[in-house]
Amino acid sequence: MATKKVKVQVLKAFVDRRSKRVHAVGDVLNITENRLAEIRKVDPGLVQEIN
């Protein structure tokens, strides 16, 4: 069963704890809804969901 992916834009630069990559402001990421929830738990203002 595939998990639904969402597209988000980075609002504040951060280092991804899983991949150790630095995501800069303005980067667009395709992540799962579960991963989005994890990121928002740390800081709700890090990313914004986009269409």
Side-chain angles (χ1 to χ4, degrees):
M1 184 172 151
T3 305
K4 184 178 174 188
K5 295 256 184 171
V6 293
K7 189 180 284 190
V8 297
Q9 184 173 19
V10 177
L11 301 177
K12 295 181 191 175
F14 70 98
V15 177
D16 190 304
R17 288 183 181 171
R18 290 186 177 181
S19 68
K20 305 298 185 214
R21 291 185 179 159
V22 176
H23 297 293
V25 174
D27 285 355
V28 176
L29 311 173
N30 287 308
I31 59 177
T32 65
E33 289 180 331
N34 290 342
R35 185 67 184 124
L36 177 59
E38 290 174 356
I39 292 169
R40 285 189 170 157
K41 187 186 284 187
V42 172
D43 183 349
L46 284 179
V47 296
Q48 174 181 347
E49 199 169 342
I50 59 175
N51 292 331

Coordinates of all heavy atoms in Angstrom, one line a residue:
M1 N 0.8 -1.2 0.0 CA 0.0 0.0 0.0 C 0.9 1.2 0.0 O 1.7 1.4 0.9 CB -0.9 0.0 1.2 CG -1.9 1.1 1.3 SD -3.0 0.8 2.7 CE -3.4 2.5 3.1
A2 N 0.7 2.1 -1.0 CA 1.5 3.3 -1.1 C 0.9 4.4 -0.2 O -0.3 4.6 -0.1 CB 1.5 3.8 -2.6
T3 N 1.8 5.1 0.4 CA 1.4 6.2 1.2 C 1.3 7.5 0.3 O 2.2 7.7 -0.5 CB 2.5 6.5 2.3 OG1 2.7 5.3 3.1 CG2 2.1 7.6 3.3
K4 N 0.3 8.3 0.6 CA 0.1 9.5 -0.2 C 1.2 10.5 -0.1 O 1.6 10.7 1.1 CB -1.2 10.1 0.1 CG -1.6 11.3 -0.7 CD -2.9 11.9 -0.3 CE -3.2 13.1 -1.1 NZ -4.4 13.8 -0.7
K5 N 1.7 11.0 -1.2 CA 2.8 12.0 -1.1 C 2.1 13.4 -1.3 O 1.1 13.6 -1.9 CB 3.7 11.8 -2.3 CG 4.5 10.5 -2.2 CD 5.9 10.8 -1.8 CE 6.7 9.5 -1.8 NZ 8.1 9.8 -1.6
V6 N 2.8 14.4 -0.6 CA 2.3 15.7 -0.7 C 3.5 16.6 -1.1 O 4.7 16.2 -0.8 CB 1.7 16.3 0.6 CG1 0.5 15.6 0.9 CG2 2.7 16.1 1.8
K7 N 3.3 17.7 -1.8 CA 4.3 18.6 -2.2 C 4.3 19.8 -1.2 O 3.3 20.4 -0.9 CB 4.0 19.2 -3.6 CG 5.2 20.0 -4.2 CD 4.9 20.5 -5.5 CE 5.0 19.4 -6.5 NZ 4.9 19.9 -7.9
V8 N 5.5 20.1 -0.6 CA 5.7 21.2 0.3 C 6.8 22.1 -0.1 O 7.7 21.7 -0.8 CB 5.9 20.6 1.8 CG1 4.8 19.8 2.3 CG2 7.2 19.8 1.9
Q9 N 6.7 23.3 0.4 CA 7.8 24.3 0.2 C 8.4 24.6 1.5 O 7.7 24.8 2.5 CB 7.2 25.6 -0.5 CG 8.3 26.6 -0.8 CD 7.8 27.7 -1.6 OE1 6.6 28.0 -1.7 NE2 8.7 28.4 -2.3
V10 N 9.7 24.7 1.5 CA 10.4 25.0 2.8 C 10.4 26.5 3.1 O 10.7 27.3 2.2 CB 11.9 24.5 2.6 CG1 12.7 24.9 3.9 CG2 12.0 23.0 2.3
L11 N 9.9 26.8 4.3 CA 9.8 28.2 4.7 C 11.0 28.6 5.6 O 11.3 29.8 5.7 CB 8.5 28.4 5.5 CG 7.2 28.1 4.7 CD1 6.0 28.2 5.7 CD2 7.1 28.9 3.5
K12 N 11.6 27.7 6.3 CA 12.8 27.9 7.1 C 13.8 26.8 6.9 O 13.4 25.6 6.8 CB 12.4 27.8 8.6 CG 11.5 28.9 9.2 CD 11.3 28.7 10.7 CE 10.1 29.5 11.2 NZ 9.9 29.2 12.6
A13 N 15.0 27.2 6.6 CA 16.1 26.2 6.4 C 16.2 25.2 7.5 O 16.1 25.6 8.7 CB 17.4 26.9 6.1
F14 N 16.4 23.9 7.2 CA 16.6 22.9 8.3 C 17.3 21.7 7.7 O 17.4 21.5 6.5 CB 15.2 22.5 8.8 CG 14.4 21.6 7.9 CD1 14.4 20.3 8.0 CD2 13.6 22.2 6.9 CE1 13.6 19.5 7.1 CE2 12.8 21.5 6.0 CZ 12.8 20.1 6.1
V15 N 17.9 21.0 8.7 CA 18.6 19.7 8.3 C 17.7 18.6 8.6 O 17.2 18.4 9.7 CB 19.9 19.6 9.2 CG1 20.6 18.3 8.9 CG2 20.8 20.7 8.9
D16 N 17.4 17.8 7.6 CA 16.5 16.6 7.7 C 17.2 15.6 8.6 O 18.4 15.2 8.3 CB 16.3 16.0 6.3 CG 15.2 15.0 6.4 OD1 15.3 14.0 7.1 OD2 14.2 15.1 5.6
R17 N 16.6 15.2 9.7 CA 17.2 14.2 10.6 C 17.4 12.9 10.0 O 18.3 12.1 10.4 CB 16.3 14.1 11.9 CG 16.3 15.3 12.7 CD 15.5 15.1 14.0 NE 15.5 16.3 14.8 CZ 14.8 16.5 15.9 NH1 13.9 15.5 16.2 NH2 14.9 17.6 16.6
R18 N 16.6 12.5 9.1 CA 16.7 11.2 8.4 C 17.8 11.2 7.4 O 18.6 10.3 7.4 CB 15.4 10.8 7.8 CG 14.3 10.4 8.8 CD 13.1 9.9 8.1 NE 12.1 9.5 9.1 CZ 10.9 9.0 8.7 NH1 10.6 8.8 7.5 NH2 10.0 8.7 9.6
S19 N 17.7 12.1 6.4 CA 18.7 12.1 5.3 C 19.9 12.9 5.6 O 20.9 12.8 4.8 CB 18.0 12.6 4.1 OG 17.7 14.0 4.2
K20 N 19.9 13.7 6.6 CA 21.1 14.6 6.9 C 21.3 15.7 5.9 O 22.3 16.3 5.8 CB 22.4 13.8 7.2 CG 22.3 12.8 8.2 CD 21.9 13.3 9.6 CE 22.0 12.2 10.6 NZ 21.0 12.3 11.6
R21 N 20.3 15.9 5.0 CA 20.4 16.9 4.0 C 19.9 18.3 4.5 O 19.0 18.3 5.3 CB 19.5 16.6 2.8 CG 20.1 15.4 2.0 CD 19.2 15.2 0.7 NE 19.7 14.1 0.0 CZ 19.1 13.4 -0.9 NH1 17.8 13.7 -1.2 NH2 19.6 12.4 -1.6
V22 N 20.5 19.3 4.0 CA 20.1 20.7 4.3 C 19.1 21.1 3.3 O 19.3 21.0 2.1 CB 21.3 21.7 4.3 CG1 20.8 23.1 4.6 CG2 22.3 21.2 5.4
H23 N 17.9 21.5 3.8 CA 16.8 22.0 2.9 C 16.8 23.5 3.1 O 16.5 24.0 4.1 CB 15.5 21.3 3.2 CG 15.5 19.9 3.0 ND1 15.6 19.3 1.8 CD2 15.4 18.8 3.9 CE1 15.6 18.0 1.9 NE2 15.5 17.7 3.2
A24 N 17.0 24.2 2.0 CA 17.1 25.7 2.0 C 15.7 26.3 1.8 O 14.8 25.6 1.3 CB 18.0 26.2 0.9
V25 N 15.5 27.5 2.2 CA 14.2 28.2 2.0 C 13.9 28.2 0.5 O 14.8 28.5 -0.3 CB 14.3 29.7 2.5 CG1 13.1 30.4 2.2 CG2 14.6 29.7 4.0
G26 N 12.7 27.9 0.2 CA 12.2 27.8 -1.2 C 12.3 26.5 -1.9 O 11.7 26.3 -2.9
D27 N 13.0 25.5 -1.2 CA 13.1 24.2 -1.8 C 11.7 23.6 -1.8 O 10.9 23.8 -0.9 CB 14.0 23.3 -1.0 CG 15.5 23.5 -1.2 OD1 15.8 24.4 -2.1 OD2 16.3 22.9 -0.5
V28 N 11.4 22.8 -2.9 CA 10.1 22.1 -3.0 C 10.4 20.6 -2.8 O 11.3 20.0 -3.4 CB 9.5 22.3 -4.3 CG1 8.2 21.5 -4.5 CG2 9.1 23.8 -4.5
L29 N 9.7 20.0 -1.8 CA 9.9 18.5 -1.5 C 8.7 17.8 -1.7 O 7.6 18.3 -1.5 CB 10.3 18.4 0.0 CG 11.4 19.3 0.5 CD1 11.5 19.1 2.0 CD2 12.7 19.0 -0.1
N30 N 8.8 16.5 -2.2 CA 7.7 15.6 -2.2 C 7.9 14.6 -1.1 O 8.8 13.8 -1.2 CB 7.7 14.8 -3.6 CG 7.2 15.7 -4.7 OD1 6.2 16.4 -4.6 ND2 8.0 15.8 -5.7
I31 N 7.1 14.6 -0.1 CA 7.2 13.8 1.1 C 5.9 13.1 1.4 O 4.8 13.6 0.9 CB 7.7 14.6 2.3 CG1 6.7 15.8 2.6 CG2 9.1 15.1 2.1 CD1 7.1 16.6 3.9
T32 N 5.9 12.1 2.2 CA 4.7 11.4 2.6 C 4.0 12.2 3.7 O 4.6 13.1 4.3 CB 5.0 10.0 3.2 OG1 5.7 10.2 4.4 CG2 5.7 9.1 2.2
E33 N 2.7 12.0 3.8 CA 1.9 12.7 4.8 C 2.4 12.4 6.2 O 2.4 13.3 7.1 CB 0.4 12.2 4.7 CG -0.3 12.8 3.5 CD -1.7 12.4 3.4 OE1 -2.1 11.3 3.9 OE2 -2.5 13.2 2.8
N34 N 2.9 11.2 6.4 CA 3.5 10.8 7.8 C 4.7 11.6 8.0 O 4.9 12.1 9.2 CB 3.8 9.3 7.8 CG 2.6 8.4 7.9 OD1 1.5 8.9 8.2 ND2 2.8 7.2 7.5
R35 N 5.6 11.8 7.0 CA 6.8 12.6 7.2 C 6.5 14.1 7.5 O 7.1 14.7 8.3 CB 7.7 12.4 6.0 CG 9.1 13.1 6.2 CD 9.9 12.5 7.3 NE 11.1 13.2 7.5 CZ 11.5 13.7 8.6 NH1 10.8 13.5 9.7 NH2 12.6 14.4 8.7
L36 N 5.5 14.6 6.8 CA 5.0 15.9 7.0 C 4.6 16.1 8.4 O 4.9 17.1 9.0 CB 3.9 16.3 6.0 CG 3.2 17.7 6.2 CD1 4.3 18.8 6.0 CD2 2.1 17.8 5.2
A37 N 3.8 15.2 9.0 CA 3.4 15.2 10.3 C 4.6 15.3 11.3 O 4.6 16.0 12.3 CB 2.4 14.1 10.7
E38 N 5.6 14.5 11.0 CA 6.8 14.5 11.9 C 7.5 15.8 11.8 O 7.9 16.3 12.9 CB 7.8 13.4 11.4 CG 7.3 12.0 11.6 CD 8.2 10.9 11.0 OE1 9.2 11.3 10.3 OE2 8.0 9.7 11.2
I39 N 7.6 16.4 10.7 CA 8.3 17.7 10.5 C 7.5 18.8 11.2 O 8.1 19.6 12.0 CB 8.5 18.1 9.0 CG1 9.5 17.1 8.4 CG2 8.9 19.5 8.9 CD1 9.6 17.2 6.9
R40 N 6.2 18.7 11.1 CA 5.4 19.8 11.7 C 5.3 19.6 13.2 O 5.1 20.6 14.0 CB 3.9 19.7 11.2 CG 3.9 20.3 9.8 CD 2.4 20.4 9.3 NE 2.4 21.2 8.1 CZ 1.4 21.2 7.3 NH1 0.4 20.3 7.5 NH2 1.4 21.9 6.2
K41 N 5.6 18.4 13.7 CA 5.6 18.2 15.2 C 6.8 18.9 15.8 O 6.8 19.5 16.9 CB 5.7 16.7 15.5 CG 5.6 16.4 17.0 CD 5.8 14.9 17.3 CE 4.7 14.1 16.9 NZ 4.8 12.7 17.4
V42 N 7.9 19.0 15.0 CA 9.1 19.7 15.5 C 8.9 21.2 15.4 O 9.2 21.9 16.3 CB 10.4 19.2 14.6 CG1 11.6 20.1 15.0 CG2 10.7 17.8 14.9
D43 N 8.4 21.7 14.3 CA 8.2 23.1 14.1 C 7.2 23.3 13.0 O 7.5 23.0 11.8 CB 9.5 23.8 13.7 CG 9.3 25.3 13.5 OD1 8.2 25.8 13.5 OD2 10.3 26.0 13.4
P44 N 6.0 23.7 13.3 CA 4.9 23.8 12.3 C 5.2 24.8 11.2 O 4.6 24.8 10.2 CB 3.7 24.3 13.2 CG 4.0 23.9 14.6 CD 5.5 24.0 14.7
G45 N 6.2 25.7 11.4 CA 6.5 26.7 10.5 C 7.6 26.4 9.5 O 8.1 27.2 8.7
L46 N 8.1 25.1 9.5 CA 9.2 24.8 8.7 C 8.8 24.6 7.2 O 9.6 25.0 6.3 CB 9.9 23.5 9.1 CG 10.7 23.5 10.3 CD1 11.2 22.1 10.7 CD2 11.9 24.4 10.2
V47 N 7.7 24.0 7.0 CA 7.2 23.8 5.6 C 5.7 24.2 5.4 O 5.0 24.3 6.4 CB 7.4 22.3 5.2 CG1 8.8 21.9 5.1 CG2 6.6 21.4 6.1
Q48 N 5.4 24.4 4.2 CA 4.0 24.8 3.8 C 3.6 23.9 2.7 O 4.3 23.8 1.7 CB 3.9 26.2 3.4 CG 2.5 26.7 2.9 CD 2.5 28.1 2.5 OE1 3.5 28.9 2.8 NE2 1.5 28.5 1.8
E49 N 2.4 23.3 2.8 CA 1.9 22.4 1.7 C 1.5 23.3 0.5 O 0.9 24.3 0.7 CB 0.7 21.6 2.3 CG 0.3 20.4 1.5 CD -0.7 19.5 2.2 OE1 -0.9 19.6 3.4 OE2 -1.3 18.7 1.4
I50 N 1.8 22.8 -0.7 CA 1.5 23.5 -1.9 C 0.8 22.6 -2.8 O 0.8 21.4 -2.7 CB 2.7 24.2 -2.6 CG1 3.8 23.1 -2.9 CG2 3.3 25.3 -1.7 CD1 5.0 23.7 -3.7
N51 N 0.2 23.1 -3.9 CA -0.5 22.3 -4.9 C 0.4 21.8 -5.9 O 1.2 22.2 -6.5 CB -1.6 23.1 -5.5 CG -2.7 23.3 -4.5 OD1 -2.9 22.6 -3.6 ND2 -3.5 24.4 -4.7

